[in-house]
Amino acid sequence: MGSGHAGLSVASELSRMGLVPQRDFAVIDSNCDGRRSWGYRWSSMTLLTEAGRSPIAGRHLSGDPYRHPSPREVEEHLLSVESSLRITTMWGIRATGVQRLGDGSTLLLSTNEGQVQTRNIVCASGSAGRPRIPSWAVETQAPGIVLHSADYRGPTQIPAGDVLIIGAGHSGQQVARELSSSHRVTLSSRSPQGHSPGAGWGRWMGRQLRDGRTSHAPDWEALGVTLMPAAVAVDGAHIIFEDGQRTAPQSVIFATGYLPADTWLPTEVRDSPRGRGTTAVPGLFIAGMPLYSKPDADTFDGARRDAMLIARRIMKRP
């Protein structure tokens, strides 16, 4: 379940072990238009890791291995890998549940298109499948626009005026830098313990952008970006920060991360993650999700390691 880099990594390993796509295994994906999540990201976004460290199924992105590829490049790379593996992804099929039939080795996968009996199911539906939004965010009242970074497309989408970006991870920093040339930007983030917003804190924020090496902090002052501590609540049009300060921005962008697309998994699996892609349900595996594997499972290398382990376990099942 899932035709992103994790799903294609599993498909590649199964093919390498002699299984044939469309005969011995199938790849399904919930997206309806044949586009993966990369196709919906803003055009100026860049991948966190370098191109040379982003192989899928043994295939690398072409060009400079030290560059940080765009979503469009990643999407095209996935299409190329899919074609090379001779996989025909079945689009628009959304998993809604899975259960074990009796005490045997058969699983029942429920989808929006009906039910399927199978011996093995791999959940590769994505570690960033659902926007993570603070519980208080639904009460945010801004005269401009309020959205999650998953729905951000570019500066022209954001009305003129002050913009508050909540969250200073990779996405938050990229959006802040892009908008700084056309908007008045405030960037809110949790600060390291014992630090308050300032130059030292800005350096710490810059170190959150990693590609295997420590990155240099952006010069937020030169960019005209104001740094603020974590936003913790809302009061009408005002956002309240953890130090008691408040602001009433024209627009708000929540760059607060994502949750895995795992809501269709059995409760016992979600409540008790086992690690390394295995679950309490025999034949049900999870690839590319740190919650159920190692912290780097959502990276290209991490998903590949999950895929190798899962494929071996599938082939060894009685």
Side-chain angles (χ1 to χ4, degrees), residues 51-121:
R53 300 177 66 236
S54 307
I56 306 171
R59 297 170 63 93
H60 289 78
L61 282 157
S62 59
D64 180 6
Y66 297 105
R67 78 186 191 285
H68 294 263
S70 68
R72 183 185 182 91
E73 290 179 280
V74 176
E75 176 77 2
E76 291 176 350
H77 185 47
L78 289 169
L79 287 171
S80 174
V81 170
E82 182 183 45
S83 176
S84 71
L85 295 174
R86 298 183 178 179
I87 289 171
T88 302
T89 297
M90 301 172 65
W91 298 98
I93 301 179
R94 184 181 70 258
T96 57
V98 60
Q99 63 185 86
R100 187 181 182 187
L101 294 181
D103 297 326
S105 59
T106 302
L107 299 176
L108 182 67
L109 175 67
S110 297
T111 78
N112 60 312
E113 294 290 339
Q115 296 181 323
V116 180
Q117 291 188 23
T118 181
R119 287 174 48 79
N120 302 283
I121 297 172

Side-chain angles (χ1 to χ4, degrees), residues 244-297:
Q245 295 186 72
R246 55 174 57 205
T247 185
Q250 182 76 11
S251 297
V252 179
I253 299 175
F254 288 92
T256 43
Y258 295 85
L259 295 170
D262 61 353
T263 55
W264 58 277
L265 295 175
T267 301
E268 64 266 31
V269 170
R270 288 184 282 121
D271 289 347
S272 302
R274 287 192 170 186
R276 293 315 307 268
T278 62
T279 73
V281 178
L284 176 61
F285 305 94
I286 304 174
M289 295 188 186
L291 178 63
Y292 302 96
S293 184
K294 291 190 173 182
D296 68 343

